[in-house]
Amino acid sequence: MNFDRNSITYFLRFLTIMKDTYALITGASSGIGREIANVLAKKGYDLILVARRQERLEKAATQISEAFGADVRYITCDLSRSDAVDQIYKFCNEHLLSVGFIVANAGYGISTAFHETPVEKEEAFLRVLGLSVVSLTKVFLPQMLDRGEGKIMIISSVASYAPPSSIQSLYGPIKRFVNGFSDSLNSNYGHVGISSTAVLPGYTVTEFHSASGTQAQMDKVPSFMKLNVQDVADEAVKDTLAGRPISIPSKRYKLIIFLLRYLPKPIMSFASNYLTGGRYQKKI
C-alpha cells in the first residue's frame, strides 16, 4: 500500500488528536513562564517547555516533573530564528504531542533608543514578541479546531496601554498588536470552543528587567507597583481557563489600566514617568 506525504501528515495528525493534549509554554525556563508551568502542572497538565537556555530548561523540566508528576518535554529553541516555529512543530509531530493550550510568554526588552538600535536587533525582537505568537497559533490551531476546544494565553503587558516610552520604543506597540490579535482569535474561533486571553501584568519581580538592561529603572519603581510572579501566574491561568479575553493581575493594575485608558495623556505621562524611574523622560 502506498502512502503519499499528505496521507502520512493526516495520519500523524489523527494520532495526535486522539492523545491527551499538552500545554506548550515559551520562555518557560524562568520568570512568568516558569511559574505558569508550575501552575498548569499542578492542575494536571502535561507540558512542552520552550526556551533558549538548555541547562535551565532541562532543570526546570526535571523539577516540575518530580514535583507534580507531569509528563514534561522540552525543546531548546531561539524564537528569533525564522525556522524556530517549524522546529517546535516538527518536534511535537515526531513525538506525537498534541497541543491544546498555548502560552505565548517569551519576551524581552531593548534598552537602547530606537535610533541607536540596529534594525536586525529590532527584527529579532519583533519576531520573538510578535511573529512567533502568530506563527505558533497558526500551526497548532488546526488541532484545536479538530478537537473543538483549545486555550491560548498571550502574555502582553500594562505597557500596551501606557504612554510611549523613551526606552523599549517597540515594546508597547508590539504588546498592543498581540492584544488585537488575541481579540481577533476570540472573534473568529470563540464560537467553536477556542478562547484566547491577553494577560496584562504590571511590573513583576523576575529576571526580565536585568536581562533587558532596565534594572535601574525597575529599582526605582515603588514597591506597591511590583507584583509577585506566583500571583501573576495564578491569576493568568485562572482567567485563561475561564475563557476571559483579558486578564489583569491585581486590583491595583486593573485600576491603573482604567486610568490609562480614560485620563488625559499629559497627566498619565507625568504620573507614569514619576512612578517608573524616568522611563518616560525624553532622551533627545
Side-chain angles (χ1 to χ4, degrees):
M1 183 179 295
N2 294 324
F3 293 96
D4 60 19
R5 185 173 181 178
N6 286 336
S7 298
I8 295 172
T9 299
Y10 284 122
F11 178 67
L12 289 173
R13 184 169 158 187
F14 172 77
L15 288 178
T16 58
I17 290 167
M18 295 303 292
K19 290 172 68 66
D20 292 335
T21 61
Y22 285 69
L24 186 149
I25 307 169
T26 66
S29 63
S30 64
I32 294 175
R34 170 63 189 274
E35 290 302 326
I36 288 173
N38 288 339
V39 175
L40 289 176
K42 188 176 181 179
K43 289 182 177 294
Y45 281 86
D46 294 323
L47 307 177
I48 305 164
L49 308 183
V50 181
R52 292 182 299 111
R53 295 174 290 188
Q54 168 80 22
E55 185 176 343
R56 295 191 67 168
L57 191 58
E58 185 175 358
K59 182 178 180 180
T62 300
Q63 289 178 341
I64 293 170
S65 180
E66 291 177 350
F68 304 107
D71 180 16
V72 184
R73 314 293 181 94
Y74 65 91
I75 174 172
T76 306
C77 186
D78 184 351
L79 288 171
S80 69
R81 293 176 53 92
S82 60
D83 62 347
V85 172
D86 287 340
Q87 184 182 346
I88 294 168
Y89 185 66
K90 182 179 179 181
F91 173 86
C92 292
N93 273 349
E94 288 178 347
H95 293 85
L96 300 180
L97 307 176
S98 180
V99 174
F101 197 137
I102 297 171
V103 180
N105 164 75
Y108 61 99
I110 298 175
S111 60
T112 52
F114 179 74
H115 69 282
E116 298 173 339
T117 307
V119 68
E120 295 82 8
K121 194 172 182 179
E122 304 283 17
E123 288 175 353
F125 176 81
L126 292 172
R127 188 174 295 280
V128 174
L129 276 76
L131 188 56
S132 72
V133 177
V134 176
S135 299
L136 279 172
T137 306
K138 174 80 74 174
V139 298
F140 291 113
L141 188 61
Q143 295 178 16
M144 297 182 185
L145 288 171
D146 287 334
R147 283 182 173 271
E149 62 180 6
K151 296 294 183 185
I152 300 162
M153 181 197 297
I154 300 174
I155 304 300
S156 180
S157 173
V158 169
S160 61
Y161 285 97
S165 173
S166 58
I167 58 175
Q168 301 185 8
S169 300
L170 288 179
Y171 191 79
I174 196 63
K175 292 303 185 181
R176 285 193 289 276
F177 166 77
V178 296
N179 289 353
F181 175 61
S182 185
D183 283 341
S184 177
L185 291 173
N186 285 319
S187 295
N188 286 287
Y189 303 106
H191 66 288
V192 293
I194 299 169
S195 64
S196 179
T197 301
V199 181
L200 280 61
Y203 291 105
T204 306
V205 180
T206 66
E207 298 175 5
F208 176 88
H209 296 89
S210 59
S212 299
T214 59
Q215 188 61 48
Q217 288 83 6
M218 179 62 169
D219 290 342
K220 296 176 183 177
V221 173
S223 58
F224 77 89
M225 295 273 290
K226 297 178 181 179
L227 299 177
N228 179 281
V229 66
Q230 294 175 341
D231 294 338
V232 170
D234 284 335
E235 192 158 352
V237 171
K238 180 185 71 174
D239 288 343
T240 302
L241 292 177
R244 296 188 177 96
I246 295 178
S247 174
I248 306 171
S250 83
K251 292 180 180 178
R252 57 189 178 278
Y253 273 102
K254 288 179 174 67
L255 174 60
I256 287 170
I257 286 185
F258 175 83
L259 295 174
L260 285 170
R261 293 180 67 182
Y262 296 110
L263 284 182
K265 286 187 177 180
I267 294 176
M268 290 315 303
S269 293
F270 175 81
S272 297
N273 187 62
Y274 177 77
L275 291 171
T276 59
R279 189 177 298 258
Y280 299 95
Q281 285 180 327
K282 297 189 186 311
K283 300 298 184 183
I284 58 173

